[in-house]
Amino acid sequence: MTRTRMTAGERSEEVLLAAVAAFAESGYAATKTDDIARRAGVSQPYVIRLFGTKQQLFLAVLSRVCDRIEDIFRVAAEQFTPDATPEQRLDMLGPSFVEFLAEPDLPRVFLQGMAAASDPAIGDCIRERFGKIYLLLRELTGASPEALRGFMGKGMLLIDLTVMRLVGPDAFRPPWADELLADIRGDEA
């Protein structure tokens, strides 16, 4: 049986996916490029050749996660009707965010990016991408800054609760978590 050789792009994608899982599990500081290489089935020097440094690889992973958030919101916005109010548009975006939360490594990496923001390059990246998400939501919905703050605050709460496994298919759901989730749309409670 002949084994098909992967292209450089396919191999790079494999490394990126392995890095998402590794950074989600261990965080930026504790993750070693050796671990990422092992997960991807490549050598550590190959990982460095593809991405340069661990920091550059983390930035690529963080960008991938933020791209996913933006894509989810753009796709959800396609359902908007021309007469929908900004508040109705935000309501329509809320349930779609569950897609992002259903991929558990993604919210973990997003929070890891915030946790590592004291690193100047990572801090610049997460601030820029968070701002880009805010501006995208403003553009898509036309909502007021107050409404966007509420929407993004609920989104961050959902990310936190998902990472703590208080939301999702294997959730531990104490009564106080149900109280926090009572008015958040898209929760599968």
Side-chain angles (χ1 to χ4, degrees):
M1 174 183 252
T2 308
R3 194 169 159 197
T4 307
R5 196 167 160 91
M6 278 192 201
T7 67
E10 291 168 333
R11 185 64 79 186
S12 179
E13 181 65 19
E14 261 193 7
V15 170
L16 200 57
L17 291 173
V20 167
F23 287 127
E25 183 179 303
S26 302
Y28 174 66
T31 300
K32 307 289 183 226
T33 54
D34 286 337
D35 181 44
I36 294 167
R38 185 180 40 74
R39 288 174 187 243
V42 300
S43 70
Q44 189 270 350
Y46 187 74
V47 171
I48 297 303
R49 190 169 13 144
L50 285 174
F51 291 95
T53 64
K54 179 174 92 166
Q55 181 190 64
Q56 289 169 319
L57 177 55
F58 185 75
L59 293 171
V61 165
L62 191 55
S63 290
R64 167 70 65 95
V65 168
C66 292
D67 287 346
R68 180 74 177 115
I69 294 170
E70 291 173 19
D71 290 344
I72 287 169
F73 288 142
R74 281 189 186 96
V75 169
E78 292 172 5
Q79 70 180 334
F80 292 168
T81 57
D83 60 334
T85 67
E87 292 75 21
Q88 289 169 328
R89 290 176 180 198
L90 279 177
D91 285 347
M92 287 184 233
L93 290 181
S96 65
F97 195 63
V98 172
E99 286 178 50
F100 174 74
L101 299 175
E103 301 172 50
D105 286 345
L106 301 183
R108 288 185 190 113
V109 168
F110 190 77
L111 285 183
Q112 294 292 353
M114 291 187 167
S118 62
D119 175 290
I122 295 170
D124 287 348
C125 179
I126 193 67
R127 283 186 294 275
E128 176 189 338
R129 294 309 301 257
F130 194 85
K132 192 174 172 191
I133 292 166
Y134 171 80
L135 294 173
L136 175 66
L137 289 169
R138 187 176 72 186
E139 175 189 326
L140 292 174
T141 65
S144 70
E146 295 78 19
L148 289 168
R149 272 194 298 278
F151 181 82
M152 291 184 78
K154 286 180 180 180
M156 288 305 301
L157 177 61
L158 280 172
I159 287 172
D160 293 343
L161 295 174
T162 299
V163 169
M164 290 187 289
R165 292 180 56 207
L166 292 166
V167 172
D170 60 346
F172 302 100
R173 198 52 92 60
W176 61 264
D178 287 330
E179 288 178 22
L180 280 174
L181 291 163
D183 71 334
I184 297 176
R185 295 181 189 266
D187 179 45
E188 66 280 357

